[in-house]
Amino acid sequence: MAQTNSSPPSDFIREMIEEHIRSNRFQGRVATRFPPEPNGYLHVGHAKSICLNFGIAAQYKGACNLRMDDTDPSGESLEYVESIINDVRWLGFDWEDRLFYASDYFEQLYQFAVQLIETGKAYVCSLSADEIREQRGTLTEPGKESPYRNRSIEENLALFAQMRAGKFEDGAHVLRAKIDMVSPNITMRDPVFYRIKRATHYRTGTQWCIYPMYDFAHCLSDSIEKITHSICTLEFENNRPLYDWILDQLNVDYHPQQIEFARLNLSYTILSKRRLIELVGREHVTGWDDPRMPTIAGMRGRGYTPEAIRNFCARIGVAKNDNLVDISLLEHCVREDLNERAPRVMGVLRPLRVVIDNYPEGQVEEFECPNRPQNPGMGSRMVPFSRVLYIEQEDFHENPPKKYYRLGPGREVRLRYSFIIKCVNMVKDKQTGEIVEVHCTYDPETRNGPPSDGRKVEGVIHWVSANHSVPAEVRLYDRLFQIADPMAKEDDFTKYLNPRSLETLTSCRVESSLAGALPGSRFQFERLGYFYLDPKDSSPGKLVFNRIVPLRDSWAKVASQEKK
RNA sequence: UGGGGGAUCGUUCAAUGGUAGGACAACGGACUCUGACUCCGUGAAUCGAGGUUCAACUCCUCGUCCCCCAGCCA
């Protein structure tokens, strides 16, 4: 059962697992689980956990379960369950027939609670929520024992049965563990295990009016599923003694090991479910799947690939340090993946009309353009050329800045895969002074190579033929926040939302080959970035592209430094 | 502050008493019909003070700073 491959463990969790395998702690078994609560969409922080849990299971020939941790009906819904299932599968993981629900264990959990009462380890407490809070003590003061702590087992049993039977109002009683009100670990001060809550559960409906708390349900669910390693985030470290206490009192036959790791934080975004819900609720974004969101659904809609996300998760590592991972690493992983697989095309985002004065009116010729120059196996397509073209507005400057080697008055530039052209004139709008058209001449002998007189033309720009290109809408996405760590600020985090996180361009022109492109496919628009043909918003005759990530742009750096 | 965790290049992860290393970011260069990609190179860190040792990121002592816990949320 233990793997034979001798590659060293890559993190402290795998190290511990290998130690358990050596010592035969779980008979060599490895079983993990990913246990989301279906009260929101999964984000890239969850992706880290998914990759960890499923990755470990695969590596050690074990299995990873998908379990909905649905013990609090308020906020949970089928919509979220479906999104979670969809997202984990899209990421590339398979739980086979092991989709479980904590709510399926409600009856078993109830029986475990009864056992605890029978052995005098739990009691029904009739204090109000406020009173319980007051008597819990503080960080520095011990708590006080509840006056209901010493009720008889019979009375507790009867009361608990009545709680289940719906005899009491919400909040009238709770079931608490009888542990230690003066424990320095506040988690151990007689924690609540069951509360009365008349809420319709999306799966069990009104069958129950009492629901188990996380601490009680989670360890037992793990035990029921015979999980060996229950991997969770750092904030549950204080809860581990309780996790172990419950399983010890109940003398269950399976006692998993809880291991905690540091959750992912990503710069220029937020990964707190609560805050994400707020962004959706306050309509700062269009929904959970808004392409600016760090949710799996958002990244999918943006055009990120599962491979890129998985690779990112592998690279950030697993440790116990608080961290704020640079989002440029995620962007790097996306580019790295797309560089290999995205075919190159040309598209002009902000068109500037170019007339080639010495090119015959009505003439059209085609250039064969490789879909990926570095990989001839990806084929090529024909791109039409004619007298009137569009180039990018920013590829022309009337007064070119230093180190700029694109088009300007009297300057020459290479049209990608086409001729060298020279700017001979420009037309300005009489009112605004804005350049609306540029006139050039082309050099026919440069069609297949450099000019014979040896002159150097450094600039290469992309272009499309005015008459042959097709219109497109392009959405330029940028970072959601303007500062690296919006959560570190005391005030309202929405203050730091990036007002330019979305720019929609509606008069873009893309090469004709894109007219029949498959929705959901990804392209590199040469010199610009990677783009995703949005399958939700595109329709026959209407192309809508999302910018997945821009290309690295060293000119932007030069330009901004020249300005200083 | 009672308890629980954590401190290593700008960021992140490693080094498990024996040359502090990788990745991202930054910077410089080569290449280039993508200012992309690729390649080469540069700078950059052990929280502090003591101690043990031939040798300390690692072990010991004392500090400092950061995170988590006072939901009938997870």
Side-chain angles (χ1 to χ4, degrees):
Chain A
M1 187 129 271
Q3 62 153 22
T4 47
N5 121 34
S6 60
S7 71
S10 56
D11 58 67
F12 77 99
I13 295 178
R14 279 172 241 253
E15 220 164 78
M16 187 185 293
I17 289 174
E18 292 190 13
E19 176 53 35
H20 290 161
I21 290 171
R22 275 192 296 274
S23 65
N24 212 32
R25 163 111 177 249
F26 296 102
Q27 291 75 49
R29 257 171 39 86
V30 173
T32 57
R33 99 270 92 115
F34 173 62
E37 183 188 12
N39 66 346
Y41 277 56
L42 264 22
H43 54 64
V44 64
H46 293 111
K48 175 181 181 181
S49 174
I50 292 166
C51 291
L52 222 206
N53 280 292
F54 280 93
I56 282 175
Q59 182 180 346
Y60 296 104
K61 311 273 187 286
C64 178
N65 300 346
L66 177 58
R67 178 167 79 225
M68 300 301 154
D69 204 359
D70 53 358
T71 58
D72 179 4
S74 49
E76 295 169 0
S77 74
L78 202 55
E79 182 207 340
Y80 292 131
V81 170
E82 284 164 355
S83 76
I84 289 166
I85 287 174
N86 192 27
D87 290 348
V88 178
R89 188 171 292 151
W90 177 80
L91 262 186
F93 297 101
D94 184 9
W95 52 91
E96 298 174 324
D97 58 349
R98 300 178 314 280
L99 169 59
F100 299 126
Y101 294 83
S103 54
D104 282 349
Y105 308 139
F106 280 171
E107 184 58 41
Q108 280 177 86
L109 261 16
Y110 178 85
Q111 294 305 332
F112 277 126
V114 168
Q115 258 188 68
L116 241 27
I117 295 172
E118 286 170 343
T119 53
K121 300 294 183 182
Y123 62 97
V124 172
C125 179
S126 308
L127 254 23
S128 70
D130 284 345
E131 290 167 325
I132 288 181
R133 188 180 333 110
E134 283 161 21
Q135 303 203 355
R136 187 152 30 221
T138 67
L139 295 180
T140 49
E141 307 156 35
K144 294 188 191 64
E145 293 193 349
S146 165
Y148 303 99
R149 202 170 196 259
N150 294 313
R151 289 219 251 232
S152 70
I153 289 172
E154 291 68 31
E155 189 183 359
N156 281 322
L157 249 16
L159 249 18
F160 191 47
Q162 288 168 30
M163 281 170 63
R164 175 180 182 168
K167 305 287 192 215
F168 307 117
E169 293 295 299
D170 286 14
H173 310 278
V174 291
L175 183 73
R176 296 178 75 178
K178 192 186 287 189
I179 308 181
D180 180 7
M181 288 308 292
V182 302
S183 171
N185 181 354
I186 295 176
T187 305
M188 300 298 273
R189 318 236 260 231
D190 287 13
V192 171
F193 281 173
Y194 269 90
R195 74 281 211 182
I196 303 172
K197 195 170 202 164
R198 279 181 184 71
T200 302
H201 190 282
Y202 74 99
R203 295 191 86 235
T204 61
T206 54
Q207 191 182 334
W208 293 86
C209 65
I210 58 172
Y211 293 95
M213 301 286 291
Y214 166 85
D215 285 306
F216 185 70
H218 204 91
C219 56
L220 289 166
S221 301
D222 284 343
S223 178
I224 288 167
E225 293 176 19
K226 294 195 161 30
I227 297 303
T228 57
H229 301 273
S230 180
I231 300 168
C232 62
T233 45
L234 248 30
E235 66 269 27
F236 291 106
E237 230 157 3
N238 293 328
N239 302 47
R240 178 154 32 98
L242 181 53
Y243 185 105
D244 291 330
W245 184 90
I246 294 168
L247 296 180
D248 286 343
Q249 303 310 311
L250 260 5
N251 200 22
V252 296
D253 53 3
Y254 222 90
H255 192 139
Q257 173 69 50
Q258 175 177 305
I259 308 172
E260 311 85 12
F261 71 98
R263 68 179 337 134
L264 169 68
N265 295 293
L266 241 202
S267 64
Y268 297 97
T269 189
I270 47 168
L271 257 31
S272 138
K273 215 193 252 185
R274 219 179 98 70
R275 292 285 122 90
L276 257 15
I277 288 172
E278 225 175 309
L279 285 184
V280 174
R282 290 163 66 178
E283 297 183 348
H284 285 113
V285 293
T286 59
W288 286 99
D289 59 351
D290 187 302
R292 292 168 292 183
M293 290 281 273
T295 52
I296 310 282
M299 295 188 292
R300 177 173 58 236
R302 173 87 160 254
Y304 284 21
T305 59
E307 290 83 357
I309 296 170
R310 277 190 257 128
N311 198 249
F312 170 72
C313 291
R315 290 215 205 180
I316 55 178
V318 179
K320 298 188 75 158
N321 305 327
D322 288 328
N323 60 77
L324 181 62
V325 173
D326 195 332
I327 198 167
S328 65
L329 180 60
L330 212 209
E331 295 170 343
H332 168 82
C333 291
V334 173
R335 288 191 191 102
E336 183 179 57
D337 183 35
L338 263 19
N339 180 43
E340 295 297 324
R341 48 206 275 186
R344 272 66 195 188
V345 293
M346 289 194 285
V348 175
L349 267 27
R350 297 176 178 87
L352 172 62
R353 193 177 149 92
V354 172
V355 179
I356 311 296
D357 290 340
N358 61 340
Y359 196 85
E361 210 138 351
Q363 183 173 316
V364 178
E365 65 187 295
E366 290 191 318
F367 295 98
E368 180 173 3
C369 302
N371 293 140
R372 181 159 193 242
Q374 293 86 343
N375 179 5
M378 284 175 73
S380 62
R381 81 283 179 196
M382 303 306 286
V383 176
F385 179 92
S386 65
R387 181 180 156 90
V388 182
L389 312 171
Y390 290 121
I391 65 168
E392 208 68 62
Q393 281 172 21
E394 63 174 28
D395 286 339
F396 179 89
H397 257 89
E398 184 178 6
N399 302 300
K402 253 185 256 173
K403 293 183 184 170
Y404 183 86
Y405 47 83
R406 304 177 193 174
L407 207 54
R411 288 187 174 220
E412 281 190 299
V413 76
R414 162 77 67 180
L415 293 178
R416 179 75 161 156
Y417 296 128
S418 172
F419 302 108
I420 288 173
I421 58 169
K422 180 175 190 169
C423 172
V424 294
N425 202 359
M426 55 195 177
V427 180
K428 288 185 184 178
D429 182 293
K430 288 192 186 77
Q431 309 293 326
T432 64
E434 184 195 357
I435 295 160
V436 294
E437 186 174 288
V438 171
H439 284 259
C440 295
T441 55
Y442 82 110
D443 181 349
E445 73 152 14
T446 57
R447 181 180 170 134
N448 289 314
S452 55
D453 61 10
R455 67 187 197 276
K456 278 273 178 242
V457 175
E458 224 183 334
V460 179
I461 65 173
H462 59 278
W463 55 277
V464 295
S465 166
N467 282 332
H468 304 86
S469 60
V470 295
E473 175 180 319
V474 174
R475 297 148 175 181
L476 267 18
Y477 293 103
D478 199 355
R479 295 168 178 184
L480 231 201
F481 287 88
Q482 327 185 58
I483 60 174
D485 193 1
M487 293 299 278
K489 299 283 185 175
E490 289 295 313
D491 44 353
D492 184 6
F493 70 105
T494 59
K495 239 176 80 180
Y496 303 101
L497 248 3
N498 177 6
R500 286 174 299 281
S501 60
L502 168 60
E503 185 179 2
T504 303
L505 269 20
T506 52
S507 42
C508 313
R509 306 289 305 190
V510 299
E511 63 172 66
S512 53
S513 73
L514 252 16
L518 239 50
S521 41
R522 302 174 180 86
F523 302 91
Q524 184 195 99
F525 286 10
E526 292 218 34
R527 303 209 305 130
L528 296 175
Y530 295 98
F531 293 80
Y532 181 57
L533 183 53
D534 193 314
K536 285 206 301 219
D537 297 327
S538 295
S539 53
K542 189 190 180 204
L543 297 172
V544 178
F545 290 95
N546 297 332
R547 184 173 68 189
I548 305 167
V549 62
L551 251 30
R552 288 186 56 169
D553 185 359
S554 54
W555 163 245
K557 284 176 199 163
V558 174
S560 67
Q561 276 176 11
E562 290 296 317
K563 254 183 235 168
K564 286 172 191 165

